Amino acid sequence: MSENIEFNRNEDKMKLLISAMNQKLDKVFQGGGKARIEKEHAKGKLTARERIAYLLDKDKPQLEIGAFAGEGMYVDHGGCPSGGVIVVIGYIKNRQVIVVANDATVKAGAWFPITAKKNLRAQEISIENKLPIIYLVDSAGVYLPMQDEIFPDKEHFGRIFRNNAIMSSLGILQISAVMGSCVAGGAYLPIMSDEAMIVKETGTIFLAGSYLVKAAIGEDIDNETLGGSTTHCEISGVTDYKCENDKDCLDRIRNIMDKVGDFDKAGFDRALPSQPAKDPKEILGILPDSREKPYNMMDIIERLVDDSAFEPYKEKYGQSIICGLARIDGWAVGIVANQRKVVKSKKGEMQFGGVIYSDSADKAARFIMNCNQKKIPLLFLQDVTGFMVGSRSEQGGIIKDGAKMVNAMANSVVPKFTVVVGNSYGAGNYAMCGKAYDPRLMLAWPSAQIAVMGGAQAAKVLLQIEVSTLKAKGKEITPEDEKAMYDKIFNHYEQTTSIYYSAARLVVDAIIDPLETRKAISMGIEAANHAPIEKRYNVGVLQV
């Protein structure tokens, strides 16, 4: 395959996309910049990323969630790289955990609206998977210029502490380390965790700092006396451990995790892992350099799954969706994937192009039900342009069949994982387990795009509306005017459908190198295995 000219062209395009992604990540990893990092070091502190690197097992895989959160947002406020908080799924003493660390190099760790959304997503992952969560606290609190967008609503700052209480009742381990500022409402976080520790001289906890105390009640007091380590470890009893420095604090967390007991498991099947028989690196050359070109999704699947072994379900029926069983890193999975190839049927040559037909929707619904019956996690590989349209499809009941698929998927009780490989358009995004349908992880390749419809189609629709409106007002529109209007609409639409636009707003949890897909899915299923399935699968009412 690697000798094929088209393969090489595709590979070059994907490598350029991956390189662009890594360049963006390099910038994101700088947080608030070198000067801010040096300032933290001068205080004797590690940065958020340095703390996480020290805390997690070095020889185990990691998956960062929301690295691109805040990308291109809050420009007028100086930006908010990574949403001002780092979230990583990793391992401490071979136990899987999720770590949430405020980045004090970004506006002193202050909370922007996206910061709250990212923190809530981390807690959601912890709750869904009953995964222990570690908070490394170093935050100045709510970013006051945007307080109205983060303070009072259901999915705002206060929801964090509501979740702390719910997680405690569910028996989910929460450990807080106060390694810098922990102020105002945020001061409740460590106390609502199971255990709390504080770093000597750099960690402080109080509802109001010294300046506010002076303004409110006239008391003169310094921050260390007001809420430092000695106060809370020896007088108030708010914290459980007093730590000499960052590393001592992180070592204590590792020591605690080393003694944590085992958990009830969901019982997902795992065999001895094996690598794909077909070279995974060839994935980079399979996806076409143009969204319009066909390709065989099976070529990708065979380079993702163990031994390249795949057991197809209804292989010759409903061929615009591939369904079947396989293993990824030993874990049993049911795969639902959009097909993009050209096939020859009794009706002649047909190019699926990622369109979902009635028979495919029916097949997928039945397969999803079967995986729930067998307790097999589901993996959705999205490259979908939507459901088939037109009189023939409507008369054939495409809405009914699509609803069956959505119903079966939405009510699934086994964990679902979604990887957007290429297109993710319209109702196809929904049926193939888009973010609105609670995948445990929503991942994307750099080649992905999420939108109601493709840029060209959308631009043409919007152009027709705009031209009609202007003509109705008596304005004459030349072909040159139309082209200029089309280009403007298309460019704006393409910007908002970029996968980085979605990642900035946490529509996807992570943009990953395609070669990291096996690792990410394996870690996701391992996390899901922490949480036994307690609900019965019931698809409710269906218009059969």
Side-chain angles (χ1 to χ4, degrees), residues 175-214:
I175 299 174
S176 286
V178 180
M179 309 181 80
S181 297
C182 183
V183 302
Y188 289 104
L189 175 67
I191 314 314
M192 298 189 76
S193 299
D194 297 288
E195 292 188 275
M197 51 197 72
I198 187 170
V199 177
K200 179 181 176 183
E201 296 179 353
T202 57
T204 53
I205 309 172
F206 35 65
L207 293 179
S210 56
Y211 293 128
L212 184 54
V213 167
K214 174 67 174 178

Side-chain angles (χ1 to χ4, degrees), residues 13-23 284 446 513-514:
K13 175 71 177 293
M14 180 60 80
K15 284 183 175 180
L16 284 172
L17 290 173
I18 293 170
S19 176
M21 177 187 74
N22 288 333
Q23 288 177 30
L284 303 183
D513 184 325

